[in-house]
Amino acid sequence: MDVLTPNRIIRMGMGHWPARTLQTAIKFGLFTVLGPGGMTGEQLRGALDLAQRANPDFFDALVALGMLDREGDGPLAIYSNSKEAAAFLDKASPTYIGGFLEMNHDRFYPFWVDLGAALKTGKPQNETKHRGGPVFDTIYADPERLEQFLAAMSGVSTGNFQALAAKFDFAPYTTLCDIGGAEGILSMMVARAHPHMRCTSADLPVVWPIAQKKIAAAGLSDRVGTAVIDFLNDPLPRADVITMGMILHDWNLETKRMLIAKAYEALPPGGAFIVVEQLIDDARRHNISGLLMSLNMLIEFGDASDYTGADFNAWCLDAGFTRSEVLPLAGPTSAAIAYK
Ligand SMILES: C[S@@+](CC[C@H](N)C(=O)[O-])C[C@H]1O[C@@H](n2cnc3c(N)ncnc32)[C@H](O)[C@@H]1O
């Protein structure tokens, strides 16, 4: 017989303890400092310039959380990165995703303290709370924040874009334009997996040189171009496939519909409009990440929100598209695809 316990409630309500421990370890570069080697607690404490009190509690908590391995017990025990940490939290790894959690440490965590205020007022609780102005202007005014934001997006999106490149049939198409393409990762993943595709990553002017550098470093400049666009004011470049990764969820319904209409205009008949998002399930019961992401959009933008595949379908049919479908990608993320 199942016994009712409050364990799940307590674990959920205390979620900030493990989250903050992990975010702080990433922020300190702990997993990068360890790299492929091992250190005693005292060596690790010294390398991170922490107080005596940090050792061994901080490190053993990370062992219990599965982020560090520990060989032996006591002061001579050797700490090393767990397999997961080595793959995703050491900056030397090509699959590093820590940027997203660094941004959580610096931005989302302090903003989420004001979730109550967001729910009561419907207003953003981020940098714009006291200063006002558009969110991207505020984040992008500081070069460090700009780079952190773009690296965070790449970290969290790369797996989804790889899955899109593997699962979607690009054979009928030859050109793709990724709107709000940030560092150009989606375009690079598609170009790498489909040598017949020519892709363009379009974003705001400050993002352009960063994307160019990344694409050149990947040796893909011959098939991946960059374009400057302000999608709120400009028409979208013409292409067989128009993609938007985590773009529509940043905006209110009116702007979402405006961007969908622009995508429709830019596509030829038969063309595909693909959004990549943590799509909420149609019943709005299961995709916890998608539902919490939507609360994060309240905190970031106020009137912006995530949406379901059914919402997307309805908006796209209104805009003239013939049909749409949902393609699950990695984890809680899906692609929703509308065909002209
Ligand atoms: C949430 S990020 C998504 C980045 C990337 N597509 C992904 O899924 O990882 C939103 C992107 O939209 C871009 N963006 C915001 N406002 C824009 C505008 N008015 N015109 C063009 N790009 C814009 C930002 O610079 C940023 O790269």
Side-chain angles (χ1 to χ4, degrees):
M1 201 180 71
D2 284 347
V3 181
L4 199 60
T5 74
N7 294 347
R8 202 168 70 94
I9 296 173
I10 292 172
R11 220 175 28 247
M12 203 182 297
M14 301 304 294
H16 60 294
W17 282 12
R20 205 60 188 160
T21 303
L22 179 62
Q23 289 168 16
T24 305
I26 295 168
K27 188 71 189 171
F28 284 168
L30 182 149
F31 304 102
T32 307
V33 163
L34 270 177
M39 289 185 191
T40 64
E42 187 51 24
Q43 287 169 332
L44 190 51
R45 184 195 73 72
L48 297 174
D49 195 20
L50 305 182
Q52 287 292 349
R53 178 63 183 82
N55 180 29
D57 284 356
F58 187 37
F59 310 135
D60 287 340
L62 288 163
V63 170
L65 289 167
M67 295 293 110
L68 289 181
D69 291 337
R70 193 188 69 211
E71 186 91 12
D73 298 317
L76 296 181
I78 298 293
Y79 294 92
S80 58
N81 285 327
S82 70
K83 254 196 204 150
E84 251 174 317
F88 300 115
L89 300 177
D90 174 356
K91 278 191 182 153
S93 164
T95 47
Y96 178 74
I97 55 114
F100 184 66
L101 297 172
E102 284 175 46
M103 189 167 77
N104 266 274
H105 177 281
D106 292 352
R107 300 190 63 245
F108 298 156
Y109 183 82
F111 302 154
W112 272 71
V113 169
D114 291 334
L115 175 62
L119 293 169
K120 290 275 188 188
T121 62
K123 298 271 187 276
Q125 301 297 318
N126 61 8
E127 296 92 342
T128 64
K129 181 173 181 175
H130 303 295
R131 276 178 267 157
V135 175
F136 284 104
D137 288 4
T138 310
I139 300 175
Y140 287 4
D142 169 2
E144 219 173 277
R145 263 182 197 230
L146 164 68
E147 292 223 8
Q148 182 188 57
F149 180 82
L150 294 178
M153 291 316 306
S154 297
V156 79
S157 292
T158 299
N160 298 317
F161 297 159
Q162 259 163 351
L164 177 72
K167 290 184 174 183
F168 183 71
D169 181 12
F170 283 96
Y173 309 108
T174 51
T175 55
L176 174 150
C177 186
D178 185 30
I179 305 298
E183 291 187 328
I185 306 287
L186 187 151
S187 295
M188 289 194 273
M189 295 294 152
V190 170
R192 201 171 266 150
H194 303 278
H196 73 283
M197 289 296 294
R198 284 196 323 282
C199 305
T200 305
S201 188
D203 209 304
L204 294 166
V206 278
V207 178
W208 183 78
I210 297 171
Q212 275 237 318
K213 216 162 83 187
K214 288 266 167 189
I215 294 162
L220 286 166
S221 304
D222 54 334
R223 284 188 300 113
V224 179
T226 47
V228 167
I229 191 175
D230 171 1
F231 57 54
L232 297 179
N233 295 304
D234 303 334
L236 308 189
R238 297 197 167 276
D240 301 337
V241 180
I242 298 278
T243 52
M244 293 187 190
M246 286 201 255
I247 300 299
L248 293 187
H249 83 157
D250 288 345
W251 304 96
N252 64 20
L253 183 55
E254 191 189 347
T255 306
K256 281 180 171 76
R257 283 187 183 275
M258 183 267 279
L259 290 170
I260 293 170
K262 285 189 177 187
Y264 184 85
E265 276 311 305
L267 288 167
F273 171 44
I274 306 179
V275 295
V276 177
E277 303 261 21
Q278 295 193 3
L279 271 193
I280 297 171
D281 54 295
D282 288 347
R284 296 180 57 85
R285 283 178 187 279
H286 302 294
N287 191 344
I288 299 171
S289 286
L291 289 160
L292 295 179
M293 178 62 93
S294 202
L295 285 181
N296 196 51
M297 292 303 107
L298 158 61
I299 283 173
E300 285 276 40
F301 298 98
D303 58 0
S305 60
D306 283 76
Y307 50 92
T308 66
D311 293 331
F312 178 77
N313 185 60
W315 302 329
C316 288
L317 293 189
D318 283 352
F321 285 95
T322 55
R323 70 185 174 92
S324 81
E325 62 191 347
V326 170
L327 180 65
L329 299 176
T333 300
S334 301
I337 304 137
Y339 296 92
K340 179 161 170 176

